[in-house]
Amino acid sequence: MFWTSYFLAVLAIVLAWPVPILLSRAHWPARDPFTAMVLWQAIGLAGGLSMIGAMLVYGLEPIGDNLIAGLRALAGMVFQNEPTTALGFWHLFALSAAALLTAHLVFTLLLTYYKIERQRRKHRELLALLASPSEHGTATMVINHDSPVAYCLPGGARSVTVLSDGLMAALEPAELRAVLIHENAHLNQRHHLLLWAFAAWRQALPWLPTTRLAQEAVNSLIEMLADDVALKTESKATLIKAIAIVASGSALPQAAPAFGQSGRTDQGLQLPDGAGGSGPASTTASRVSRLLSPRPPLPGAIRGGVLAVCVLLLAMPTALLIVPGLLG
């Protein structure tokens, strides 16, 4: 149990600090956004599991040879009033920290979801008053605004893509199709769920710099994934021009795909956190640079290796925590 807790603690530190920093500086994610997205998710899940598992295993070390045996002994202490003399101060501290961190992460995840849903509900009510249906489909609405604005509002069957009059006037038909395909890709691929998870991670652990790096990386990757969908039917030149026109409306403080950034149009329409838009200037620059100077896709062997690392990251802490108890 001691060596398991030590290894999990080291793994948690590595995944919480150097690994995200190195990944955020790497250039290969632009060549394969999907694989990079999977890796970021694996890092977050494995890091959190290792962090909590290390404290839990250390705290249970005096009363069990493995996690399951230790949890059984702890349950006996809690529910059957068995003596707790076997647990020292630091073991009790570690168990309390593991319980508090788990509760904090779960609570923050649920609270973030509640806040986002409340914002989206209010935004839909305003759209019903200020927007009109578009000729481009029942799931597309138009707001009366001169600046080029485009974003999507997730909501299951109620999901909509919102465009401004200024954007529709500035775009050619092919460019407008590229924008619509891009925004629909956000909805179809459920990118808002990824944004929710990484936003909650950042809000739960704001003191950890890598939570900011992870959120920024995910914001950029989902835009690249949506661009790749648009490129299947529209030309690269068309998409680049559409991105540039939408980005020209950045003077309007509209919401970026990242949670926690919202703005207001001069019509009084508050864009909710997590509404998919063109993103911040840094994301727009990386998208355009990727399209102007394309690099070859990641080789299959490397892609498979990265996905294997993802599986290993998730399996390693899980196996260290569960397998000894099952074998015992």
Side-chain angles (χ1 to χ4, degrees):
M1 290 278 278
F2 172 78
W3 289 110
T4 299
S5 64
Y6 178 80
F7 180 82
L8 288 173
V10 172
L11 182 61
I13 294 172
V14 170
L15 294 178
W17 199 270
V19 169
I21 290 177
L22 291 174
L23 182 57
S24 67
R25 296 175 180 175
H27 297 291
W28 70 263
R31 300 169 61 186
D32 196 330
F34 174 81
T35 301
M37 183 74 74
V38 173
L39 182 56
W40 274 112
Q41 294 176 73
I43 290 171
L45 290 172
L49 185 59
S50 299
M51 188 184 305
I52 295 172
M55 293 185 290
L56 192 60
V57 169
Y58 174 79
L60 295 173
E61 181 188 356
I63 58 176
D65 294 331
N66 54 67
L67 179 63
I68 295 178
L71 289 174
R72 288 174 179 171
L74 181 64
M77 294 178 180
V78 174
F79 298 108
Q80 299 178 15
N81 294 322
E82 296 178 1
T84 60
T85 53
L87 294 174
F89 170 79
W90 290 111
H91 297 101
L92 290 172
F93 178 82
L95 289 174
S96 300
L100 288 174
L101 180 58
T102 302
H104 176 59
L105 291 174
V106 173
F107 176 77
T108 304
L109 187 68
L110 296 176
L111 181 62
T112 303
Y113 178 81
Y114 169 76
K115 289 181 178 179
I116 292 170
E117 283 301 308
R118 184 178 60 181
Q119 285 184 332
R120 289 174 182 164
R121 183 172 61 253
K122 292 180 179 179
H123 192 79
R124 290 190 190 93
E125 293 173 355
L126 288 173
L127 283 177
L129 297 174
L130 302 176
S132 57
S134 169
E135 61 181 13
H136 299 283
T138 56
T140 306
M141 304 190 75
V142 180
I143 56 176
N144 182 19
H145 200 285
D146 294 334
S147 296
V149 177
Y151 63 92
C152 56
L153 186 65
R158 298 175 298 170
S159 298
V160 295
T161 297
V162 182
L163 308 173
S164 68
D165 286 333
L167 179 70
M168 297 181 67
L171 296 179
E172 298 293 334
E175 296 159 1
L176 181 58
R177 285 196 304 270
V179 171
L180 289 172
I181 294 171
H182 177 99
E183 298 302 333
N184 287 333
H186 284 313
L187 297 173
N188 295 334
Q189 297 182 8
R190 305 293 192 271
H191 290 162
H192 57 283
L193 298 179
L194 292 170
L195 297 177
W196 162 46
F198 281 91
W201 186 27
R202 183 176 181 180
Q203 291 183 18
L205 305 172
W207 46 268
L208 193 62
T210 49
T211 59
R212 175 184 57 83
L213 295 176
Q215 188 181 33
E216 291 175 354
V218 168
N219 290 341
S220 180
L221 290 172
I222 65 168
E223 294 300 327
M224 293 179 186
L225 287 170
D227 285 343
D228 289 343
V229 175
L231 286 174
K232 293 180 179 179
T233 55
E234 304 301 329
S235 69
K236 189 178 300 182
T238 297
L239 181 58
I240 291 174
K241 186 178 178 182
I243 292 173
I245 291 175
V246 174
S248 68
S250 59
L252 176 69
Q254 60 177 304
F259 292 112
Q261 300 178 11
S262 58
R264 185 180 300 276
T265 70
D266 58 11
Q267 305 294 322
L269 192 61
Q270 179 79 19
L271 300 189
D273 293 343
S278 62
S282 59
T283 298
T284 301
S286 63
R287 291 168 62 194
V288 173
S289 176
R290 176 176 180 257
L291 294 171
L292 289 175
S293 304
R295 300 181 62 190
L298 209 62
I302 297 179
R303 187 171 189 263
V306 175
L307 294 176
V309 169
C310 295
V311 174
L312 183 62
L313 284 176
L314 294 174
M316 192 180 304
T318 304
L320 288 173
L321 292 170
I322 302 299
V323 172
L326 296 177
L327 297 178

